[in-house]
Amino acid sequence: MQATLSELAVIADARLEGDGSTLISAVNTLSDAQEGDIAFLTNKRYRLQLQQTRASAVILHDDFASDCHVPNRLIVDNPYLAYALVASYFAAEQTQFSAGIHQSAVIAASASISPGACIEANVVIGENAVIDDGVFVGAGSVIGNDCKVGAETKLCANVTLYHDISIGKRCLFQSGAVIGGDGFGFASDNGRWVKIPQTGSVRIGNDVEIGVNTAVDRGAINDTIIEDGVKLDNLIQVAHNVHIGANTAIAGSTAIAGSTTIGSGCTIGGCSGIIGHLEIADNVHISAMTIVTKSISSPGQYTGNMPALPHGDWSRNMVRLRQLDDIARRLKQLENGGT
Amino acid sequence: MQATLSELAVIADARLEGDGSTLISAVNTLSDAQEGDIAFLTNKRYRLQLQQTRASAVILHDDFASDCHVPNRLIVDNPYLAYALVASYFAAEQTQFSAGIHQSAVIAASASISPGACIEANVVIGENAVIDDGVFVGAGSVIGNDCKVGAETKLCANVTLYHDISIGKRCLFQSGAVIGGDGFGFASDNGRWVKIPQTGSVRIGNDVEIGVNTAVDRGAINDTIIEDGVKLDNLIQVAHNVHIGANTAIAGSTAIAGSTTIGSGCTIGGCSGIIGHLEIADNVHISAMTIVTKSISSPGQYTGNMPALPHGDWSRNMVRLRQLDDIARRLKQLENGGT
Amino acid sequence: MQATLSELAVIADARLEGDGSTLISAVNTLSDAQEGDIAFLTNKRYRLQLQQTRASAVILHDDFASDCHVPNRLIVDNPYLAYALVASYFAAEQTQFSAGIHQSAVIAASASISPGACIEANVVIGENAVIDDGVFVGAGSVIGNDCKVGAETKLCANVTLYHDISIGKRCLFQSGAVIGGDGFGFASDNGRWVKIPQTGSVRIGNDVEIGVNTAVDRGAINDTIIEDGVKLDNLIQVAHNVHIGANTAIAGSTAIAGSTTIGSGCTIGGCSGIIGHLEIADNVHISAMTIVTKSISSPGQYTGNMPALPHGDWSRNMVRLRQLDDIARRLKQLENGGT
């Protein structure tokens, strides 16, 4: 698969400099690129590599053009986006598959599988499930009764969908993702827990990506909702009745507790936690390993972590942290003239 | 499936007000309920909805009865528990299944499967495993040699039990749960790790719920033990030789390190961590994203997190946190008459 | 399976005391050991048990020999290592398996499976995969196209390898582990996310252990790399293009963000997080639930957590933490003579 630099300029919405007929066959890093590769500068830490790269062309911002010894360039405002677009072009061919149902798959009689779908080995699909055109279901995946999987969605190997899950178009679910498990709801009866039946479901929009071993629970009565364009990384916990707004992206190992609503356009760092029944506004950005314990009504960056220190420094300060209320009171006393 | 309000009053141990012959067919929220539904008030934030709900009956505490325009009511001390009991009644029918072994399941010759069990497609069951009456094993689940699964326990799709795991009655394991993996034990041999064989097992009591993608490791020599009524949410790590007491509930993404004992009746918030070889007393409650580094001998609430602030506020205080020992020393000097 | 104490002394590189012909058939704890067992003291908290144990022999350090009423002993500098070596000897027999491919496995025609490998029920293996001698692939595991699995590596049940993954010899992957999922890379296009194709792979060395439900993502362009002897516990997130040095051990529920390099000989506590694009030196030790936000160039212990306090104590100090910048300014003012 090859393209001319002129063709890539159109794909990346870039200004072409140099020879538009240059043939490009792959994307690579500045340091590893060979002849025939296009490289990219997205982080100025690597700008010195512009002088040594063997790439046949480079994607970069105009600000760094003078550092670049390669004459063939795609000049753009957002090199990371241009890299994504060009790399997607070269990757498209690799992601194709042959439609059909593997003979080892177990498909309920009432399920409706598009002839354009690919169902791999040992897949199990339940009653009344609807699998649309261009869907890929990887080996070992289990799709429960009454699920709907929209066109061109890809479920990798060993994905689990419980019953009655609705998934939009062009989604990508990584292996081990589990959608529709019971929410964690129990009422206390004198110390013994009585289960709250989880009778809602999960509704997932279009263009959603769900990472490896991520869990999205079904709602207790109403549904858990993930809107269009949401991106969830690996090992994330999304509890029952959470609602995640469009194009919000959440990094790995984060957990969102029950009935919390997160706005659209948010980013949430890895290892974070948001407690239940909160409202997080649009365009809120949460730092890594931060716990959110109150609703957030204004966009902006929020942080609550404690970065690592050498252990001795941490230990000295941590002793004082436990004295902090006392320290504050003693300071007040001094200010009031006491000694 | 329908019930009269009088019948539900018995199920919920409630005082009936209004027309006991009212027919109820589902549980719903106050805001979404339609005719034929019973709704409930468990959080006083929603009390205004008592005046607009179209529910045919409402479960609530006597304190809010005067806010409720619906004449048919179940008055209880614990509306959340009453909701759980009524909802369980309506959900019971949906959770029934047909006994039998799917032809694609691979069952060892020496395994003993009750005729009243349901074994779904592509399940694999090892030698000498014993599956009791009323057990449900979801598609793709793997049960190792010598496992025992007690009556009416349900394993959802793609659950994994290693060998020699013992599980009680009426348990519910969500998809992706893995029971009996090797504990994380290695001895250092001049920088190289030598594995400690994990030859213990896992013993799980009755009425235990284990969440999606939660891991419970087998013991090194003795067993990992989870007592009756324990509820574990999703993506929890339970290390080798942990012992969790009866009716303790642990929220998602929490981790318990090796050989720690947790009492009964505890609750542990999400994203928390408890280090190894500790003893946590009964009725201890740990807040979300809290690390426990010492044993806890008294019941009560314990917390160690740092709630999110706007990033600038956090940053200013975090700089000072690193100066805290210095601040404390300078304060002491002032108190001693220095300036 | 039995061994004489003399034989075990050779295995454990120990100094034998007592009767070398004593027959030993199992390893056990000091408190549970019976006749025929060898016990061990690795933690001085248990030294009093040396006086009551019924073990036929004991592994211990010379410092505690005088506490031990059992005359048959293996005296070593590192009792934990000696325990590992002796226990491994007794466990070896249990871990043997019969080579062969279960009839329900689905193996691509172009895959190469060693006759000495064991492929369990419902395994799926893709095109051009190479499975070496002595490899064990547990039930339900899925191995993608072009994977290479080195000799004597064991994949437990329900492991998933995406395409083109390279794994060394003598590795052990626990159930639910997923290797090679897409890294989490997206470029923002006016609020909409454009996926960065993840075209790199994952290269894993020899003697690597990967825990239950742990995720190791494939690289964006270059590979994610895990060197020889690395040990990863359960529910760990390893993002794209991470590089983990030899013999580093990481405890459960930790997450490593993209493109971070971790040195060799490191230990990282559970529930920790390391943000992306950092360099962590060799022999760095990170405490549990610590976030690392900057590169670390010196070996040593680093900590950044906040241990649990009784909730009231925590609450009082946390209020002051939010006033800390103000407290520091007021202290400075007093030092400057203000009141």
Side-chain angles (χ1 to χ4, degrees):
Chain A
M1 192 169 204
Q2 285 190 314
T4 64
L5 194 57
S6 296
E7 290 168 332
L8 296 181
V10 173
I11 288 166
D13 195 15
R15 191 175 88 232
L16 169 68
E17 290 187 358
D19 179 2
S21 69
T22 308
L23 279 177
I24 302 294
S25 53
V27 180
N28 210 333
T29 59
L30 285 166
S31 58
D32 290 352
Q34 302 295 326
E35 197 182 324
D37 290 349
I38 187 167
F40 54 92
L41 180 75
T42 57
N43 186 327
K44 66 182 175 184
R45 287 196 300 174
Y46 302 119
R47 66 190 293 178
L48 290 179
Q49 296 181 2
L50 289 171
Q51 296 168 23
Q52 285 119 27
T53 185
R54 291 188 281 180
S56 293
V58 176
I59 298 167
L60 77 177
H61 192 278
D62 206 19
D63 292 352
F64 301 99
S66 60
D67 296 317
C68 184
H69 84 109
V70 180
N72 302 318
R73 304 151 176 180
L74 300 184
I75 306 291
V76 290
D77 285 339
N78 183 348
Y80 198 56
L81 174 59
Y83 155 47
L85 294 168
V86 169
S88 294
Y89 172 78
F90 287 112
E93 195 182 33
Q94 296 169 30
T95 59
Q96 302 198 347
F97 55 79
S98 302
I101 300 176
H102 193 277
Q103 60 183 16
S104 64
V106 177
I107 316 280
S110 58
S112 166
I113 314 290
S114 164
C118 174
I119 311 295
E120 288 205 321
N122 289 345
V123 165
V124 179
I125 299 181
E127 299 290 349
N128 302 309
V130 177
I131 308 296
D132 283 348
D133 188 39
V135 168
F136 177 95
V137 183
S141 289
V142 176
I143 296 179
N145 296 339
D146 303 303
C147 286
K148 288 182 172 45
V149 182
E152 294 176 63
T153 282
K154 180 177 184 179
L155 311 181
C156 296
N158 284 330
V159 165
T160 306
L161 309 183
Y162 280 65
H163 60 281
D164 204 23
I165 309 300
S166 167
I167 299 173
K169 300 175 183 180
R170 298 176 302 276
C171 293
L172 174 55
F173 289 15
Q174 304 289 334
S175 294
V178 177
I179 313 299
D182 280 353
F184 195 65
F186 300 93
S188 177
D189 181 10
N190 292 314
R192 200 176 59 90
W193 298 106
V194 177
K195 185 177 177 72
I196 310 283
Q198 304 291 306
T199 57
S201 189
V202 182
R203 280 186 283 148
I204 295 177
N206 300 319
D207 302 301
V208 170
E209 186 157 338
I210 293 189
V212 168
N213 288 341
T214 280
V216 180
D217 278 352
R218 65 191 320 111
I221 293 179
N222 297 318
D223 296 338
T224 302
I225 295 175
I226 297 184
E227 294 188 9
D228 291 351
V230 167
K231 310 297 180 188
L232 303 181
D233 196 0
N234 300 347
L235 289 161
I236 289 173
Q237 152 72 345
V238 178
H240 51 177
N241 299 105
V242 165
H243 184 137
I244 303 179
N247 298 314
T248 283
I250 304 182
S253 301
T254 281
I256 318 292
S259 300
T260 280
T261 295
I262 298 173
S264 62
C266 296
T267 60
I268 301 180
C271 303
S272 290
I274 304 183
I275 73 163
H277 297 275
L278 301 188
E279 306 266 338
I280 308 296
D282 295 346
N283 300 309
V284 165
H285 306 287
I286 308 291
S287 301
M289 207 177 278
T290 288
I291 182 167
V292 179
T293 58
K294 294 184 176 170
S295 291
I296 295 177
S297 55
S298 303
Q301 181 87 24
Y302 296 81
T303 308
N305 57 37
M306 184 190 290
L309 294 174
H311 187 78
D313 295 349
W314 167 83
S315 185
R316 272 188 294 281
N317 289 317
M318 193 52 53
V319 167
R320 300 305 190 178
L321 186 58
R322 292 178 178 169
Q323 304 165 347
L324 196 51
D325 186 52
D326 182 58
I327 286 171
R329 289 173 189 279
R330 286 156 52 203
L331 176 63
K332 187 73 185 172
Q333 194 171 7
L334 279 183
E335 288 173 328
N336 290 343
T339 53
Chain B
M1 192 170 203
Q2 285 190 315
T4 65
L5 194 56
S6 296
E7 290 168 330
L8 296 181
V10 173
I11 288 166
D13 195 15
R15 191 177 88 231
L16 170 68
E17 290 186 358
D19 179 2
S21 69
T22 308
L23 280 177
I24 302 295
S25 53
V27 180
N28 211 334
T29 59
L30 286 166
S31 58
D32 291 350
Q34 302 296 325
E35 196 180 326
D37 290 348
I38 188 167
F40 54 92
L41 179 76
T42 58
N43 186 326
K44 66 182 175 186
R45 287 196 301 173
Y46 302 120
R47 65 190 294 178
L48 290 179
Q49 296 181 2
L50 290 171
Q51 297 169 23
Q52 283 119 27
T53 185
R54 290 188 280 181
S56 292
V58 176
I59 298 167
L60 78 176
H61 191 278
D62 205 19
D63 292 352
F64 301 99
S66 60
D67 296 315
C68 184
H69 83 107
V70 180
N72 302 318
R73 304 150 179 184
L74 300 184
I75 305 292
V76 290
D77 285 339
N78 184 346
Y80 198 56
L81 174 59
Y83 154 49
L85 294 168
V86 169
S88 294
Y89 172 79
F90 286 111
E93 195 182 33
Q94 297 168 30
T95 59
Q96 302 197 347
F97 55 78
S98 302
I101 300 176
H102 192 276
Q103 61 182 14
S104 65
V106 177
I107 316 280
S110 58
S112 166
I113 315 290
S114 164
C118 173
I119 311 296
E120 288 205 321
N122 289 345
V123 166
V124 179
I125 299 181
E127 300 290 348
N128 301 309
V130 177
I131 310 295
D132 283 348
D133 188 39
V135 167
F136 177 95
V137 183
S141 290
V142 176
I143 297 179
N145 296 339
D146 303 303
C147 286
K148 288 183 173 48
V149 181
E152 293 177 63
T153 281
K154 179 177 183 180
L155 311 180
C156 295
N158 284 331
V159 165
T160 306
L161 309 183
Y162 280 64
H163 59 281
D164 204 23
I165 310 299
S166 167
I167 299 172
K169 300 176 182 178
R170 297 175 304 276
C171 292
L172 173 55
F173 289 15
Q174 304 289 334
S175 294
V178 177
I179 313 300
D182 279 354
F184 195 66
F186 301 92
S188 178
D189 181 10
N190 292 312
R192 201 176 59 89
W193 298 107
V194 176
K195 184 176 177 72
I196 311 283
Q198 305 292 306
T199 58
S201 190
V202 182
R203 281 186 282 146
I204 294 176
N206 300 319
D207 302 300
V208 169
E209 186 158 338
I210 292 190
V212 168
N213 288 341
T214 281
V216 180
D217 278 352
R218 63 191 321 109
I221 293 179
N222 297 319
D223 296 338
T224 302
I225 295 174
I226 298 183
E227 294 189 7
D228 292 351
V230 166
K231 309 297 180 187
L232 302 181
D233 196 359
N234 300 348
L235 290 160
I236 290 173
Q237 153 71 346
V238 178
H240 50 178
N241 299 106
V242 166
H243 185 136
I244 303 179
N247 298 314
T248 282
I250 303 182
S253 301
T254 282
I256 318 291
S259 299
T260 280
T261 295
I262 297 173
S264 62
C266 296
T267 60
I268 300 180
C271 301
S272 290
I274 304 184
I275 73 163
H277 297 275
L278 302 187
E279 305 265 338
I280 309 296
D282 295 346
N283 300 310
V284 165
H285 306 287
I286 307 290
S287 301
M289 207 176 280
T290 288
I291 182 168
V292 179
T293 58
K294 294 183 177 171
S295 290
I296 296 177
S297 55
S298 304
Q301 181 86 24
Y302 295 81
T303 308
N305 58 36
M306 183 189 291
L309 293 173
H311 187 79
D313 294 349
W314 168 82
S315 185
R316 271 188 294 280
N317 288 316
M318 193 53 52
V319 167
R320 300 306 190 177
L321 186 58
R322 291 176 179 169
Q323 304 166 346
L324 195 52
D325 186 50
D326 182 59
I327 286 170
R329 290 173 190 278
R330 287 156 52 203
L331 176 62
K332 187 73 186 171
Q333 195 172 6
L334 279 183
E335 288 173 327
N336 290 343
T339 54
Chain C
M1 192 169 201
Q2 285 189 315
T4 65
L5 194 56
S6 295
E7 290 169 332
L8 296 180
V10 173
I11 288 167
D13 195 15
R15 191 177 89 230
L16 170 68
E17 291 186 357
D19 179 3
S21 69
T22 307
L23 281 177
I24 302 294
S25 53
V27 180
N28 210 333
T29 59
L30 286 166
S31 58
D32 290 351
Q34 303 295 326
E35 196 180 325
D37 291 347
I38 187 168
F40 54 92
L41 180 76
T42 58
N43 186 328
K44 66 183 176 186
R45 286 196 301 174
Y46 302 119
R47 66 191 292 178
L48 289 179
Q49 297 180 3
L50 289 171
Q51 297 168 21
Q52 285 118 27
T53 184
R54 290 187 281 180
S56 293
V58 175
I59 297 167
L60 77 177
H61 191 279
D62 205 20
D63 292 352
F64 301 99
S66 60
D67 297 316
C68 183
H69 83 109
V70 181
N72 302 318
R73 302 150 178 185
L74 300 184
I75 305 291
V76 290
D77 285 340
N78 183 347
Y80 198 57
L81 175 58
Y83 154 49
L85 295 168
V86 169
S88 294
Y89 172 78
F90 287 112
E93 194 183 33
Q94 298 169 27
T95 59
Q96 302 197 348
F97 55 79
S98 302
I101 300 176
H102 192 276
Q103 60 182 15
S104 64
V106 177
I107 315 281
S110 58
S112 166
I113 315 290
S114 164
C118 172
I119 311 296
E120 288 205 321
N122 289 345
V123 165
V124 178
I125 299 182
E127 300 289 349
N128 302 309
V130 177
I131 309 296
D132 283 348
D133 188 40
V135 167
F136 177 95
V137 182
S141 289
V142 176
I143 297 179
N145 297 339
D146 303 302
C147 286
K148 289 182 171 46
V149 181
E152 294 177 62
T153 282
K154 180 177 183 180
L155 311 180
C156 296
N158 284 329
V159 165
T160 305
L161 308 183
Y162 280 66
H163 59 281
D164 205 23
I165 309 299
S166 167
I167 299 173
K169 300 175 183 180
R170 298 176 302 275
C171 293
L172 174 55
F173 290 15
Q174 304 289 335
S175 294
V178 176
I179 313 300
D182 280 353
F184 195 65
F186 300 92
S188 178
D189 182 10
N190 292 313
R192 201 177 59 89
W193 298 106
V194 177
K195 183 175 177 73
I196 311 283
Q198 304 292 306
T199 57
S201 189
V202 182
R203 279 185 284 147
I204 295 176
N206 300 319
D207 302 300
V208 170
E209 186 157 337
I210 292 189
V212 168
N213 288 340
T214 280
V216 180
D217 277 353
R218 64 191 320 109
I221 292 178
N222 297 319
D223 296 339
T224 302
I225 295 175
I226 298 184
E227 294 188 9
D228 292 351
V230 167
K231 309 297 180 187
L232 303 181
D233 196 359
N234 300 348
L235 290 161
I236 289 174
Q237 151 72 345
V238 178
H240 51 177
N241 299 106
V242 166
H243 185 137
I244 304 179
N247 298 314
T248 282
I250 304 182
S253 301
T254 281
I256 318 290
S259 299
T260 280
T261 295
I262 298 173
S264 63
C266 297
T267 59
I268 300 179
C271 302
S272 290
I274 303 184
I275 72 163
H277 297 274
L278 301 188
E279 305 266 339
I280 309 296
D282 295 346
N283 299 309
V284 165
H285 306 288
I286 308 290
S287 301
M289 206 177 278
T290 288
I291 181 167
V292 179
T293 58
K294 294 184 177 171
S295 291
I296 296 177
S297 55
S298 304
Q301 181 87 23
Y302 296 81
T303 308
N305 58 36
M306 184 190 290
L309 294 173
H311 186 79
D313 295 348
W314 168 83
S315 184
R316 270 187 295 281
N317 289 316
M318 192 53 53
V319 167
R320 300 305 191 178
L321 186 58
R322 292 178 178 167
Q323 303 165 347
L324 194 51
D325 186 50
D326 181 58
I327 287 169
R329 290 173 188 278
R330 286 157 51 203
L331 176 62
K332 187 73 186 172
Q333 194 171 6
L334 279 183
E335 288 173 327
N336 290 342
T339 53

